[in-house]
Amino acid sequence: PSVLDSFALLSGQLNTLNKVLKHEKTPLLRNQVIIPLVLSPDRDEEIMRQTEGRVPVFSHEVVPDHLRTKPDPEVEEQEKQLITDAARISPDAAQKQIQSLNKMCSNLLEKISKEERESESGGLRQNKQTFNPADTNALVAAVAFGKGLSNRRPPGSGGSVQAGQPGAGAIIAGASGIQQVPMTAAPAQQQPMLAGVQMAPAGQPGKE
């Protein structure tokens, strides 16, 4: 009978525990932190993995800090002082301070967002291509190697001389630069020219 009574008591407690765990307001156990009950000064790899390398051992030295439910005494004193100072401020003054703080925060957020937008736009301007590589390559090839340039000369260029004008018989070679003068019979009244020196006609004495 004692065993049956104990079994009935355990069964009732398990049923109650199941009802509590299945209740919709009960948080999931997987979201709860499980604290090891064994303290050891040796390195624990599992704790290292769970804490991402922040807590290598779970010893008597670190337990008071990690399992603390109340702040340090100094922090408690500062918190009490802040609560006392806040109680002395009137609601109107507190509202003004809140508005002032909100305004400062809004201005700061606006400046930060403006800086972010300017930096993003500056980065886009730097990354934006402002030239056409194909046109640049074509221009370099034309200047350096004459690629794509025409060999024809436009009409009227190169110092051409029309027929009927003086010196029409002169032919200027583009590369040699030698001037050819046709040999024609000079009129009787024209004085012969030799190498650019005017010769006196025959039968006339030279002038001193």
Side-chain angles (χ1 to χ4, degrees):
S2 61
V3 174
L4 292 177
D5 294 341
S6 300
F7 181 79
L9 179 61
L10 291 175
S11 178
Q13 291 179 352
L14 289 175
N15 289 331
T16 305
L17 180 61
N18 286 331
K19 290 179 181 179
V20 172
L21 293 178
K22 291 179 181 180
H23 196 273
E24 58 182 6
K25 294 184 178 181
T26 303
L28 296 177
L29 290 179
R30 68 172 64 96
N31 296 332
Q32 304 300 315
V33 179
I34 299 176
I35 303 299
L37 300 179
V38 179
L39 303 180
S40 173
D42 299 331
R43 183 185 180 91
D44 193 338
E45 297 297 334
E46 184 66 19
I47 293 179
M48 281 281 293
R49 183 184 63 81
Q50 292 180 359
T51 59
E52 299 178 356
R54 294 187 297 270
V55 182
V57 295
F58 201 74
S59 60
H60 296 77
E61 182 180 359
V62 299
V63 163
D65 295 331
H66 290 284
L67 300 184
R68 185 188 301 276
T69 57
K70 294 177 62 178
D72 293 335
E74 294 83 1
V75 178
E76 284 186 349
E77 291 296 331
Q78 294 180 2
E79 187 176 358
K80 289 180 181 178
Q81 185 67 28
L82 292 175
I83 292 174
T84 304
D85 295 341
R88 295 175 183 174
I89 302 175
S90 62
D92 296 338
Q95 190 66 26
K96 289 181 180 179
Q97 291 183 4
I98 292 173
Q99 292 177 359
S100 177
L101 180 60
N102 291 335
K103 185 177 180 181
M104 292 173 60
C105 294
S106 301
N107 294 335
L108 184 59
L109 289 175
E110 186 177 354
K111 289 182 179 180
I112 293 174
S113 60
K114 183 179 180 181
E115 291 291 336
E116 291 179 352
R117 289 194 301 268
E118 289 179 356
S119 61
E120 290 178 358
S121 61
L124 292 177
R125 285 196 300 269
Q126 291 178 359
N127 297 331
K128 186 178 180 180
Q129 192 172 8
T130 57
F131 64 94
N132 188 353
D135 294 344
T136 303
N137 295 333
L139 182 60
V140 172
V143 173
F145 307 107
K147 183 178 179 181
L149 300 180
S150 177
N151 294 328
R152 294 179 299 175
R153 283 188 174 183
S157 63
S160 59
V161 182
Q162 297 180 358
Q165 294 181 353
I171 302 175
I172 301 175
S176 61
I178 300 176
Q179 184 175 2
Q180 298 178 359
V181 180
M183 301 300 293
T184 56
Q189 67 273 10
Q190 184 178 4
Q191 297 178 355
M193 300 286 293
L194 179 60
V197 180
Q198 185 176 2
M199 301 297 293
Q204 293 184 359
K207 297 181 180 180
E208 295 181 356

